[in-house]
Amino acid sequence: MEADTPNEKMESLREYISLVPRHKGTERLLRQLRSKLSKLEGEAERRRSLRKGSGAVSAFHIKKEGAGQVALVGLTTSGRSSLLKWFTNAKPEVSPLSFKTRIPVPGMMSYEDILIQLVEIPAIYEDIKSGKGLGPQIIAAIRNSDAVALTIDLSRDATQQMDLVLKELYDSAIRLNQQPPRVDVEKTGSGGLQIFGISLYKDDVDELKEILSKYSHNIKVRLDQPTTRSEILEAINPRITYKKALVVATKGDVPGSSENFEALEEKYREKFPMIAVSVEKNRGKDELKQEIFKALDVIRVYTKEPREKPSEKPIVLKKDARITDLVRRLPKVFQEQFKYAKVVGPSAKFDREFVGANHVLQDKDIVQVYLS
Ligand SMILES: Nc1nc2c(ncn2[C@@H]2O[C@H](COP(=O)(O)OP(=O)(O)OP(=O)(O)O)[C@@H](O)[C@H]2O)c(=O)[nH]1
Ligand SMILES: [Mg+2]
């Protein structure tokens, strides 16, 4: 009670709470203490986010670093902090108590010769989509990531957790491992409602016109394959975001975990890569790292100077990037005087193939650029 700085206050409150015996007679006291603690934590969080610059920057926005940002997303106590600690130098609090992580916590994970940023996102909960509390900020933090790792706790019913997490994300306009519908929608300044390829529409055309005119008076829609009503609704919703995702099944060491994992695989294996791990027993680490890298959809390309070894650090590019995308990342002279490139590695048809600007690269290619 003598503590004076907010941090000391929080520390001594935590200590005091841990010392109070747990029984019916102390329930009320514990509730009061926890509520006091959570108020202090909220204040501390606000101060932290204000300090981070303009004041408009939220503690929930984690600046991207490394080859990509992967969000650890799951229900409370699903083991997100444990994973973050296992893979990075971050020091989140691991605890059997619920909702310990209240703001996103970043850490850098090394994978072969690159670094990947992991961010523990505060826990998802039922009805997070309703927009109460920190829900919108939690969802925004997930939307900001490049890929999502869903943490599913194998010490409990795994499919039930997965169903819940997926529903909450779906209702928050986040789509996982799903292609956007192939419908071209364009708001135009004038011209009214224009629909091309209407014969490909599978549902009621009058209703389609009504849906579209509610969305905008001037709109051009182009169908080039059979399209349903729900695909149209997806395509005109600007909030919807598409992310690659994988499942990290945690606590693979606990009794019953194999059965839970099998049930989860049975239901979801077609849509999600799945890795069972145990932080406790240090199992599945390398396999998981590899899946996380895959989910980012990036490639590593090494540049090379004549008569020298390839660069030690790769340039990280989006999957399917071309030589032009690589050249854009090099000093300006390479863009101005590009002639052709020589490729050694997976994308080369034969060793030391000479290629042009449109050549599509692959992970672990070595490229030497020639200038004219
Ligand atoms: N047996 C076992 N327990 C684990 C494993 N990983 C995590 N746990 C335990 O699960 C509990 C919750 O772990 P956390 O990592 O704090 O969970 P979290 O998802 O960060 O939870 P919140 O941030 O509080 O929502 C802790 O008691 C951990 O020790 C594991 O691999 N095996
Ligand atoms: Mg945590």
Side-chain angles (χ1 to χ4, degrees):
M1 294 300 114
E2 288 162 13
D4 49 23
T5 75
N7 275 341
E8 286 171 26
K9 264 190 202 140
M10 285 190 284
E11 244 348 280
S12 48
L13 253 175
R14 283 194 197 104
E15 198 185 359
Y16 189 34
I17 289 173
S18 71
L19 293 174
V20 176
R22 263 67 172 166
H23 55 72
K24 262 228 133 5
T26 60
E27 258 172 29
R28 213 174 111 88
L29 173 66
L30 274 170
R31 241 197 331 271
Q32 284 169 350
L33 291 170
R34 286 209 187 99
S35 132
K36 186 156 184 199
L37 176 61
S38 109
K39 224 179 253 158
L40 284 170
E41 283 172 336
E43 274 164 29
E45 182 193 310
R46 247 190 312 283
R47 272 195 305 280
R48 259 198 305 276
S49 56
L50 285 175
R51 235 182 286 136
K52 272 193 183 155
S54 69
V57 179
S58 148
F60 277 73
H61 182 86
I62 303 290
K63 193 169 154 268
K64 288 185 186 179
E65 277 171 39
Q69 185 184 83
V70 178
L72 301 176
V73 175
L75 301 181
T76 186
T77 70
S78 58
R80 299 171 336 277
S81 292
S82 306
L83 287 171
L84 189 69
K85 256 185 139 166
W86 199 31
F87 282 118
T88 76
N89 291 325
K91 305 258 181 299
E93 191 180 353
V94 170
S95 155
L97 301 178
S98 298
F99 296 106
K100 272 288 161 187
T101 303
R102 291 167 171 268
I103 55 170
V105 188
M108 298 306 287
M109 170 181 89
S110 71
Y111 170 73
E112 297 179 353
D113 50 10
I114 56 170
L115 291 171
I116 296 172
Q117 185 181 45
L118 302 182
V119 180
E120 179 184 2
I121 308 289
I124 294 284
Y125 47 87
E126 195 162 0
D127 226 17
I128 194 167
K129 60 176 179 288
S130 71
K132 285 189 215 111
L134 291 174
Q137 280 153 286
I138 292 173
I139 295 298
I142 301 173
R143 298 172 77 91
N144 182 53
S145 70
D146 299 311
V148 173
L150 299 171
T151 57
I152 303 294
D153 179 350
L154 292 181
S155 72
R156 294 183 282 148
D157 186 328
T159 45
Q160 213 180 345
Q161 287 168 69
M162 184 78 174
D163 293 345
L164 173 59
V165 171
L166 289 181
K167 178 170 190 327
E168 293 302 330
L169 295 182
Y170 187 90
D171 291 345
S172 306
I174 297 171
R175 304 286 180 266
L176 301 178
N177 290 355
Q178 190 180 317
Q179 291 295 322
R182 281 190 34 204
V183 178
D184 258 6
V185 179
E186 191 191 333
K187 278 195 191 183
T188 51
S190 60
L193 174 61
Q194 305 171 65
I195 308 175
F196 300 93
I198 189 88
S199 60
L200 290 164
Y201 190 61
K202 292 207 275 197
D203 296 314
D204 185 61
V205 171
D206 287 333
E207 189 208 24
L208 171 68
K209 288 182 181 162
E210 200 183 311
I211 292 171
L212 292 174
S213 61
K214 262 193 214 137
Y215 174 67
S216 169
H217 290 303
N218 296 302
I219 180 171
K220 194 153 78 179
V221 175
R222 194 183 305 274
L223 309 182
D224 61 7
Q225 58 179 24
T227 304
T228 62
R229 175 177 185 274
S230 68
E231 285 168 324
I232 292 282
L233 290 173
E234 290 272 313
I236 61 175
N237 185 345
R239 256 176 53 73
I240 293 179
T241 175
Y242 297 84
K243 306 264 176 217
K244 281 286 280 284
L246 70 152
V247 170
V248 187
T250 59
K251 313 188 192 179
D253 54 283
V254 299
S257 58
S258 331
E259 289 77 8
N260 278 332
F261 188 56
E262 271 165 33
L264 187 67
E265 276 193 308
E266 181 74 25
K267 185 158 180 191
Y268 285 110
R269 119 182 88 209
E270 252 138 61
K271 193 155 180 199
F272 298 95
M274 285 188 185
I275 311 288
V277 301
S278 166
V279 173
E280 195 80 16
K281 293 262 159 43
N282 195 26
R283 282 202 307 245
K285 198 172 193 179
D286 291 341
E287 217 185 333
L288 177 53
K289 274 192 182 189
Q290 201 162 8
E291 278 309 325
I292 288 175
F293 173 71
K294 275 198 217 154
L296 276 178
D297 268 347
V298 295
I299 58 172
R300 292 161 293 179
V301 176
Y302 305 80
T303 54
K304 188 184 142 15
E305 307 261 349
R307 287 174 302 282
E308 282 184 31
K309 286 209 174 105
S311 62
E312 255 173 42
K313 289 281 159 202
I315 292 178
V316 177
L317 299 167
K318 287 215 178 76
K319 193 176 153 228
D320 297 326
R322 293 167 189 269
I323 292 282
T324 53
D325 302 306
L326 171 69
V327 170
R328 223 173 286 135
R329 298 274 292 273
L330 301 176
K332 214 163 183 177
V333 57
F334 285 91
Q335 293 162 53
E336 290 163 353
Q337 297 178 37
F338 175 82
K339 197 165 155 201
Y340 46 67
K342 187 169 75 183
V343 182
V344 175
S347 82
K349 278 205 253 2
F350 45 86
D351 219 12
R352 292 191 275 278
E353 184 191 6
F354 284 94
V355 299
N358 276 330
H359 177 79
V360 177
L361 292 160
Q362 282 184 37
D363 189 38
K364 295 199 172 160
D365 275 343
I366 300 166
V367 177
Q368 190 172 328
V369 175
Y370 290 78
L371 304 182
S372 52

